[in-house]
Amino acid sequence: MNENKPTLSKSWTEHSAHAPSYSGGKVTLCHTKGTRNLYGISEDASKEEIALTPFILAPCGGDLTLIDAIHGVKARTIREGCAGSKRDDQEDEDGSIDTDAIVAYALAPNDYDLVTASRNNVLRHYDISGSPSVSYSGTDGRGPAKVKKVLGRSGHDLPVSCMEFHCSGIFFATGSVDGNVKVWDLRGGYATHSFRYHAPGYSTNMSGRGGLRGSVTCLNWCPDVTKLWLGVGRDDGSIRVHDLRIKEEEPDDLIEMTDHVGAVTCMVWGNSSNKSNDFDLFFTAGRDAVVNTWAIVEEERSQLGQKRKKKKQVGEDVPKMKTTYKRVHTLPAYENVEALKILPKFHLLAHGYNDKISKHDMVIATAGSKGVVKLWKTLRRSEEDSIVSAIAGLELLYEQDESSAFGEKGGGYTGLIFTSPKQNLLSDTNDSTSDPPVELIAVDAEHNFSFLNISACDKEEQALLQTNRIIIGHNDEILDLKIIPENEMSIDEDDSQRKVAVVTNSAQVKVFDLGSYSCQVLEGHSDTVLCVDVSPCGRYLATSGKDQTMRIWHLETGKTVAVAIGHTEGVGATAFSRKIGRFDVSGKAAKNGGGSFAVTASKDKTLKRWNLPGSSMLDTIGNPGETFNELQVFASVRAHDKDINIVSVAPNDSLVATGSQDKTVKLWNSTDMSLKGTLKGHKRGIWDCKFSMHDRVLATCSGDKTVKLWSLGDFSCVRTFQGHSSSVLRVRFLSGGLQLMSCDAEGLVRLWTIRSNECVFTMDAHEDRIWAMDIDDNMLVTGGADSRLKLFRDTTIEVEQQNREEQDQNILKEQKLANHLRHKEYEQALDIALDMDKPRQVLKVLVAITENDFSNKTDAVTTLQRYVKNWDAERILQVLKYCREWNTRSRNSYISMIAVKAIFTTFPADQLALVDGLAEILSGIAPYAERHFERVDRLHANSYLIDFALLTMGSMHSGEDDYVQWEKTSKPVLPPKVIDGRVQVGGKDIVGFRTDDGDSTSSSEVLTVGDSDSDSGDSSSGSESD
């Protein structure tokens, strides 16, 4: 426990996550050391983070996932970027089919060029080298991959089923469901060859695709860069080998093999001498359960027909030899073979098998529907018998051990990948000083990648085809999980070495390493596992499921040490006793109930207690060769009237709590399973219950969207926490029993303080129901129906420290800002205010700049232009956003317009047009700017009424000087003139105004608009002036 940890938790942050990364199909490992910036571009990244990272390409929901081959987690996808693909299928939100879904791909040998084919038959070329400006979009490089070039439509009538690059990286081939094959030149982006394969008896009069044979199931190029041999396998069992250097005009030029009776799944060229690129062997396998070995020989051509001779031009050389493939051996594999790989220089790797193989022997690995990897070596003929080929056939060298094999029940293996030391697949858990291992990656039907050891020796811990680690490609729906406690003997405080046991919607139990997300798979259940619990000592694991049994596992060996059989329906809840010392009790004391125990609750509505034999016996059974112990029921009781969802044991082992769909929680004495009390108050079924480690209270959560806290003294409800908007599925205590953590069916996790009865923190953890959650100290692990496993860390200390630092920095910046304003250092003050991201302070600085320029009779726009010219696009957007807000108020509109004018008069329009989001901001500024302009225009027009009022008021005094002064300061539309004793301004006669001659005594207030048609005497007023 961290001594500096605060009493109450306030903030949690996602630390890492394991998301679905593979949904089936072709899997490719990088050919070299990988790519750069796999997780995006970071300015603070170290050299290790910028270094090349090996990756695995795997299809997932219509997208391509780049999996970190070292840590085993999804790093990014091609179409979604580092945010990850949220597609569970290949349909859009409206239910329509996603036509841009990737259905096939090919990776070039340089690991940079990637070509994909989508459902709409469009070929796209990507560069995934990791270059900041080329590979990925976004300023941080975490966006989707950029399309380097669209090669256009594939030309196939149906979707592309497979693609493969030539070892030169220049050519790639596409095969379609329509049976056609095309060869493309990546440099020019055009097709160079097209091969159409017709069924026997095909006629050109046939319409449509009725004459085409089966769809293409596999493609493979000869690994010699000087040879352009392309092998094409189809689902009707036929194989064709095309030599792109020869025109296939005659039947002799066509290489066709029809010995397979099922779909061909794999082909590979081999070299019997192991010394040169003279490939003389060809191995094929398929779903007809056989492996065929073919010898590649050169033969003389048959006698050329007369038509061929007539067509031959003068000077044209016709090859006298032709290449043929002759089958020399057929090996019955007794399973559908899905993968076949040649293991080069195997005699240098398998030190323990030097007596069985020589440097001249070829070793081939096969995998298929039985879920067992097999190694075969070639049998050589004697020199006297080597008529066609020196290879006589294949014999079994080694078969994967049953304990590490995937097996036939889960669907078997679907692919094999051979690794090499140059790919440097050393994980963090391995010794960094040792050489990278040579492994065989086996892909199984449940979307797991098993790294099998190839470097065999005499030591048992390094046995041949032993599983070194497993990468989980897809977890399915996570039903339950438990964090495995730290070993008492462990001194390492690094939480990356911690493990978590996870049960998904399968019969497997998976133990994840939270540092690398490598996985250990426990096999034993015959049906879906529903729940899991771990002993407080961290040595044993209890699982139960639909097979009506509970199994006790020894975590160190991964073997079943005990099995509890007795329930008549699926077991949905299980729990260990919580006292660590009781696990060491054995013998009669343990048998009579004095030792550790496990409790199970089933759909048959019964609660059972099973006494454990003690750690001494369990550890002995966990050793290899020992059989597991069958547990006996110590006590059994019918607990509820409906399904039991959860069972929990008190910290002192005195009580057992069960929660059921009958809306009640019942407390039982652990010794005899007698009922001690019933907790009633929830309005829906109970999903979880948990005892506090520090107080005599019990927390429960229910489908009624509430969390309740119960007293174990009088069985009363002391607290009810409301805030969830859906069913609450899990609840846990933390912070010494002062807080609660709960999760619901909407994917939200809430943190509650018990004393204040308030929710202090909420985070959106998953996109679907959170079925599983567990807490250990400052570590939170959640798993849900979205198949994601997430690890969260308590960041309260970091957040508080960061807040304190930010407050200190803000105080210093505010002081500097005030000092700069006092000394009229406006440029420095403006930069500080913008860095603080405080619009009010920025406005204050701009007002000060405007007032200072006004007092100095200088232009404020000119002053701002000197500051604006050093701004980048991000700073321009920041200021314009401020102006958009300021412009909504008339009192700040003047400052806003000055800032906008300074920006748009400093930078050219074409440069501003490249700034993302600028148009949207201007659309918010323009309406208010027009409104302010209309207001000022009306005010300016109305100001002439003031001029007129002042002019009229001036006539009451000795107006000779006033009029002259007014005339000098005013700018009327028309110059004033005196007509018949009247002063006319702008076409208006002002009657009663004194003229220069001083004879007029009229004081008439009649106002005439325009020139008068009558005489001045007729228009004068009858009133006399005083």
Side-chain angles (χ1 to χ4, degrees), residues 455-513:
S455 302
C457 64
D458 296 333
K459 299 180 181 179
E460 295 182 358
E461 61 268 22
Q462 296 182 355
L464 190 62
L465 297 181
Q466 179 188 6
T467 303
N468 293 338
R469 62 188 177 109
I470 298 177
I471 293 178
I472 304 299
H474 197 286
N475 276 320
D476 208 342
E477 191 170 356
I478 298 177
L479 304 180
D480 198 8
L481 63 85
K482 288 292 185 298
I483 299 175
I484 298 176
E486 293 179 300
N487 196 319
E488 298 175 357
M489 303 300 294
S490 177
I491 310 177
D492 189 9
E493 297 181 357
D494 186 9
D495 289 338
S496 63
Q497 304 299 325
R498 300 292 299 276
K499 296 184 178 181
V500 58
V502 179
V503 296
T504 61
N505 196 16
S506 69
Q508 295 179 336
V509 181
K510 301 170 184 177
V511 181
F512 282 94
D513 187 340

Side-chain angles (χ1 to χ4, degrees), residues 791-856:
L791 171 63
F792 299 87
R793 299 287 188 186
D794 186 354
T795 56
T796 304
I797 299 176
E798 291 81 357
V799 171
E800 291 181 351
Q801 181 67 24
Q802 183 179 359
N803 292 336
R804 284 194 296 267
E805 292 177 356
E806 290 179 356
Q807 291 176 0
D808 295 341
Q809 292 293 331
N810 288 335
I811 293 173
L812 292 175
K813 288 182 179 181
E814 289 177 357
Q815 185 62 45
K816 290 182 180 180
L817 177 62
N819 294 337
H820 289 310
L821 287 176
R822 186 181 302 109
H823 297 289
K824 296 185 179 181
E825 297 172 350
Y826 298 117
E827 184 175 4
Q828 294 86 343
L830 185 59
D831 290 338
I832 292 176
L834 290 172
D835 291 338
M836 294 172 63
D837 195 16
K838 291 190 175 182
R840 187 173 181 180
Q841 297 293 338
V842 176
L843 180 62
K844 182 179 178 180
V845 175
L846 292 177
V847 170
I849 294 174
T850 305
E851 292 177 350
N852 182 70
D853 291 339
F854 181 77
S855 61
N856 296 332

Side-chain angles (χ1 to χ4, degrees), residues 574-680:
T574 185
F576 274 115
S577 57
R578 308 315 302 170
K579 281 190 174 182
I580 299 179
R582 301 184 68 173
F583 281 84
D584 296 329
V585 179
S586 59
K588 290 185 178 180
K591 187 176 181 180
N592 295 331
S596 59
F597 62 89
V599 290
T600 57
S602 170
K603 193 176 180 181
D604 59 12
K605 306 175 185 59
T606 61
L607 175 67
K608 297 181 184 294
R609 166 173 167 161
W610 314 80
N611 292 335
L612 302 181
S615 59
S616 59
M617 183 174 293
L618 292 177
D619 293 343
T620 303
I621 299 175
N623 295 330
E626 297 289 339
T627 58
F628 57 80
N629 184 20
E630 186 171 337
L631 302 179
Q632 301 296 324
V633 178
F634 180 75
S636 179
V637 63
R638 181 180 174 85
H640 291 269
D641 297 330
K642 292 185 178 180
D643 292 351
I644 303 174
N645 292 329
I646 189 66
V647 59
S648 180
V649 180
N652 59 359
D653 292 347
S654 61
L655 295 176
V656 175
T658 57
S660 170
Q661 286 296 113
D662 61 6
K663 310 175 188 178
T664 63
V665 177
K666 293 186 178 182
L667 299 176
W668 310 84
N669 291 312
S670 62
T671 55
D672 56 358
M673 289 296 143
S674 61
L675 182 63
K676 186 173 183 180
T678 302
L679 309 179
K680 296 182 180 181

Side-chain angles (χ1 to χ4, degrees), residues 682 684-685 687 700-708 721-731 742-750 752 762-764 766-771:
H682 282 289
R684 295 287 179 89
W687 283 109
T700 61
C701 62
S702 167
D704 60 6
K705 309 174 187 178
T706 63
V707 177
K708 290 182 179 292
F721 303 91
Q722 297 179 344
H724 286 281
S725 57
S726 59
S727 299
V728 187
L729 304 177
R730 286 290 181 267
V731 62
S742 60
C743 59
D744 61 20
E746 290 185 346
L748 298 178
V749 177
R750 293 182 182 271
W752 309 84
T762 302
M763 58 182 173
D764 191 357
H766 291 264
E767 300 172 7
D768 208 337
R769 293 179 177 87
I770 303 178
W771 289 118

